[in-house]
Amino acid sequence: GQNIDQPTEMTATEGAIVQINCTYQTSGFNGLFWYQQHAGEAPTFLSYNVLDGLEEKGRFSSFLSRSKGYSYLLLKELQMKDSASYLCAVQTDSWGKLQFGAGTQVVVTP
Amino acid sequence: GAVVSQHPSWVICKSGTSVKIECRSLDFQATTMFWYRQFPKQSLMLMATSNEGSKATYEQGVEKDKFLINHASLTLSTLTVTSAHPEDSSFYICSARDQAGNPYEQYFGPGTRLTVT
C-alpha cells in the first residue's frame, strides 16, 4: 500500500523553530511537496523537492532523502500566522497525481 | 500568478438531488485537472484525474457514476455529484496544471463546501 506519515500536531512558541517530519512509502515518486492549509481554505504551495538535499525559501526550508523515504519542513522565526495545517504530499506519477499525508496541525503560541 | 476558481464556493442541497461544481483556470490552459475531497480534520483524498477531451480516471473506491466529471475545454472541468446523500457532504477542491508552466506545479482552487441535508 501507500503510506505518508507525519505527526498529527505540534506546538511551538512565537519566534521559535519547528521541524515537521514526513516519511513515505509510495508506488511511484516524482517529487515531494509541502503545502500550508488554513481551516476552510485550499492548500497553498510552500516547497518542492525532487533531488536529495535542502531547499531554502525564506523562513521555510525543506529537506529530502529519497533513499530513506524521508522529508522535513523547517519553519523558522515562527509567527502567529503560521498556525495552520502543513501537508506533505508525494507526486506519484508524471501526470501530477498527488498523494497527501494526513497533515500536521502547527499551533503557535505567544 | 496562476489562478484557479471554483463555483460555487458553498452549496446546500437536499438529499437525492444533483449538484454541479465548476473548476476554471483563469489565466492558463490546463490539460489536466484533479478533483479532491476533504472531510473535516482529514487530509485531501484524490478522487479523479480529469483530462481535457477524454474520460476521467477515477481512484479506487470512487464511484464514477456518482461523481461525473467533464473536462470539455482547456480551462474548465466540472464535477457533478449525482443523487447526493448526507455522507457526500465534504469540502471539494480542484487543482490544475499549467501545460505551459513548471511541470511540477499545481494550482489549487479555493474549494467548494457541499452540505447535503
Side-chain angles (χ1 to χ4, degrees), chain A residues 33 35 37 40-43 45 48 87 91 94-98 100-102, chain B residues 32 34 36 38 43-44 46 49 59 91 93 97 104-106 108-110 113:
Chain A
F33 294 76
Y35 289 89
Q37 186 180 30
E41 298 179 11
F45 170 80
Y48 167 72
L87 307 175
Q91 186 169 309
S94 58
W95 292 102
K97 188 185 291 191
L98 290 175
F100 280 86
Chain B
T32 303
F34 302 91
Y36 296 86
Q38 186 175 32
S43 193
L44 280 75
L46 179 65
T49 303
E59 293 301 297
F91 192 46
I93 305 174
R97 293 183 73 183
Y104 64 82
E105 199 151 3
Q106 282 186 40
F108 283 84
R113 186 158 304 282

Side-chain angles (χ1 to χ4, degrees), chain A residues 50-51 82 93:
Chain A
V50 67
L51 300 176
D82 297 328
D93 65 14

Side-chain angles (χ1 to χ4, degrees), chain A:
Chain A
Q2 309 208 86
N3 286 310
I4 299 177
D5 294 314
Q6 48 182 131
T8 305
E9 185 171 315
M10 302 182 76
T11 301
T13 53
E14 213 172 354
I17 298 173
V18 70
Q19 177 174 314
I20 307 170
N21 296 324
C22 172
T23 56
Y24 64 90
Q25 264 186 309
T26 55
S27 56
F29 182 84
N30 211 36
L32 188 140
F33 294 76
W34 285 95
Y35 289 89
Q36 180 192 62
Q37 186 180 30
H38 286 99
E41 298 179 11
T44 54
F45 170 80
L46 291 178
S47 70
Y48 167 72
N49 295 70
V50 67
L51 300 176
D52 290 353
L54 187 68
E55 293 281 341
E56 298 190 79
K57 232 184 192 184
R59 294 190 299 115
F60 296 167
S61 304
S62 57
F63 172 83
L64 175 68
S65 168
R66 288 172 297 169
S67 61
K68 294 182 180 175
Y70 168 70
S71 172
Y72 68 72
L73 178 70
L74 197 69
L75 286 64
K76 299 177 233 177
E77 300 168 22
L78 278 174
Q79 301 174 10
M80 298 299 291
K81 67 178 183 180
D82 297 328
S83 291
S85 182
Y86 291 83
L87 307 175
C88 172
V90 173
Q91 186 169 309
T92 57
D93 65 14
S94 58
W95 292 102
K97 188 185 291 191
L98 290 175
Q99 177 97 15
F100 280 86
T104 299
Q105 186 66 41
V106 170
V107 178
V108 181
T109 59

